[in-house]
Amino acid sequence: MSETSRETGLLDAFATLADTLVADYDVVEMLQVLVDTCREVLDVTAVGLLLADPDTGVLDLVASTSEESRIVETLQLGAEAGPCVDCFRDGRAVLVPDIDATDGRWPDFHAAAASQGFKGVFAMPMRLRNQTIGALNLFRAAVGDLNARDLRAAQALADVATIGILHERSFRANDVLRDQLQGALNSRVTIEQAKGVLAHRHQVDMDEAFRMLRGYARSNRVPLAAAARGVVERRLRL
Amino acid sequence: MRQHDQPAGRGVAAEAVLAVAPVAGASVSTLGGFLSPETIDASDDTIARVDELQFDLGEGPCWDAVTTGRPVLEPDLRGRPGRVWPAFSRAIAESDDVAALFAIPLQVGPVRIGAIDMYDVRPGALAEADLLRTIALAAELSRTVLRQVIEENGLGEAPLAARPRSRRRIHQATGFVIAQLDVSAADAELLIQARAFAEGRTMAEIADDILTKRRRFTVQGGEFEEER
């Protein structure tokens, strides 16, 4: 990607993210825009965003550039014992330019990543002041460092998303944060159920089912979670 | 018969039936499909004995209700029986306090899990309004009973699955079951949980069977069968 188109892509991304941060914005859609943007403008092949459950602290995948189950599993393994959970726990970026060189530190994650052809992984904390709420994970198909500009851009995108979730203006109220996080995680439950309904009804895979759901939400200008709820409650037939 | 230290369902289910239907006694039991025959709650010893008799003999109105998914109504069991069960009819003839017997199936979606049994000391039909109220109550009781059986066996307290990636599969499988059976998400999840309980497996394993299309719930009777 050329310099100019990259800059344009990034600017568009920030503008889109800013647009989503109006009242009653769709958190899940905003995070989906974020991961898709990362893959488009950064030198990476797959991106996943994980948020921690406010009660258990367990990281759960909320948005990813693919819903394909093997990729999803790799992302989640990274959140159980892998760079993602380390990044979340320490609130610092964890940069792994060569997964093969991690010497069995995360065997399950390593095996899953290798099976998907991922050679490097870069985990960015989703953090505001002293609070870390999740992590943004970038995967590359080639060994090597992510260049400094891409790293800065990724962290900036993660920060915008974090602010979006924490909703700056009500940031101080702890239970609001909890509600926002829980809302995003619960939306994901409904989205998974809706994907199941569509995958079964149309005999398609989860990736295609997600595209159908998102396509409907976008063209009808309804939040992704609302479209998912309609499908699950059998009010909306896609 | 009442066990007051048990959670909702036991100790209150039979009472709930008596509140909507003017009968002498009622019981709520699990049977058929994947749950072993057991009386969850009974309002008196007579109906508890009727249940036991049917369980022992493997036949009777409650079995037919569960098999067909329809109410079995015997307003005059001894005088003008609608149907005759070889062993049960003979056994019940000796009991002169059971003149009328009604069985209503309990089901979650199409999945049958048990029955309500009701008796009266004199012959007489159940009024249509009473029957409809009992059927409506049966829909509610079905979920309560199923949830309770799962909880009593220590499965209810466990989280859906410890790992997020297993949970995601369970949610997707829940979607499959919603599409297969046209039930709510809560019912679909309950059915996966019940299946896991019945087979001594985890919800994640059942979810995998469903997602890989090895098995599915059928609309007819809600059996969980191998896909061909």
Side-chain angles (χ1 to χ4, degrees), chain B residues 51-221:
Chain B
D51 272 4
E52 200 176 7
L53 199 54
Q54 295 184 87
F55 296 165
D56 289 348
L57 298 174
E59 62 175 29
C62 71
W63 287 107
D64 288 4
V66 165
T67 309
T68 62
R70 306 178 65 83
V72 174
L73 308 173
E74 290 290 346
D76 189 358
L77 189 60
R78 290 189 305 252
R80 299 175 56 195
R83 62 185 98 179
V84 174
W85 296 271
F88 176 73
S89 295
R90 202 178 320 130
I92 204 75
E94 294 158 19
S95 160
D96 54 4
D97 47 2
V98 181
L101 194 54
F102 313 103
I104 314 289
L106 294 179
Q107 48 189 56
V108 176
V111 180
R112 292 156 197 163
I113 63 153
I116 293 174
D117 272 349
M118 300 179 284
Y119 82 98
D120 226 330
V121 291
R122 278 185 298 275
L126 208 53
E128 191 181 10
D130 294 330
L131 179 61
L132 291 177
R133 278 207 300 270
T134 312
I135 290 170
L137 174 69
E140 281 312 304
L141 275 180
S142 302
R143 293 183 184 85
T144 313
V145 165
L146 187 53
R147 206 167 282 127
Q148 185 176 326
V149 168
I150 291 167
E151 273 169 20
E152 284 176 358
N153 287 276
L155 281 160
E157 283 160 32
L160 215 49
R163 311 172 112 190
R165 70 193 149 103
S166 308
R167 280 207 298 268
R168 180 177 268 243
R169 302 276 289 166
I170 293 168
H171 298 319
Q172 291 170 355
T174 300
F176 266 50
V177 176
I178 293 170
Q180 282 167 4
L181 302 183
D182 196 25
V183 294
S184 70
D187 280 0
E189 195 174 288
L190 185 59
L191 290 174
I192 294 173
Q193 196 177 14
R195 216 49 241 184
F197 157 69
E199 297 180 18
R201 296 166 73 214
T202 64
M203 286 179 78
E205 287 168 330
I206 300 294
D208 271 335
D209 277 1
I210 294 170
L211 288 174
T212 55
K213 298 173 185 162
R214 278 196 291 273
R215 297 198 295 170
R216 61 173 295 155
F217 286 100
T218 60
V219 182
Q220 288 297 320

Side-chain angles (χ1 to χ4, degrees), chain A residues 25-32 34-35 48-64 75-76 79-80 84-85 88-89 124-128 131-137 157-166 177-188, chain B residues 164-165 167-168:
Chain A
Y25 71 98
D26 181 354
V27 180
V28 181
E29 174 62 21
M30 184 267 285
L31 298 177
Q32 191 65 44
L34 175 82
V35 295
L49 188 147
L50 297 99
L51 292 179
D53 185 300
D55 294 320
T56 62
V58 175
L59 287 168
D60 207 345
L61 187 65
V62 178
S64 58
L75 285 160
Q76 284 168 332
E80 284 172 24
C84 181
V85 69
F88 169 69
R89 194 189 49 223
M124 305 296 188
M126 297 191 58
R127 179 163 178 247
L128 194 63
Q131 190 153 25
T132 307
I133 60 168
L136 177 67
N137 287 267
L157 286 163
D159 290 347
V160 173
T162 308
I163 292 165
I165 291 170
L166 297 184
L177 164 63
R178 170 175 297 262
D179 288 351
Q180 293 278 36
L181 273 174
Q182 204 64 64
L185 290 165
N186 289 345
S187 295
R188 198 64 222 188
Chain B
R165 70 193 149 103
R167 280 207 298 268
R168 180 177 268 243

Side-chain angles (χ1 to χ4, degrees), chain B residues 2 12-28 41-44 47 116-120 130 133-134 137 141:
Chain B
R2 299 290 173 88
V12 298
E15 197 78 52
V17 177
L18 292 186
V20 300
V23 290
S27 71
V28 174
D41 194 34
S43 65
D44 62 34
I47 195 68
I116 293 174
D117 272 349
M118 300 179 284
Y119 82 98
D120 226 330
D130 294 330
R133 278 207 300 270
T134 312
L137 174 69
L141 275 180

Side-chain angles (χ1 to χ4, degrees), chain A residues 13 41 81 107 133 146 154 234:
Chain A
V41 302
I133 60 168
L146 204 59
R234 296 164 288 154

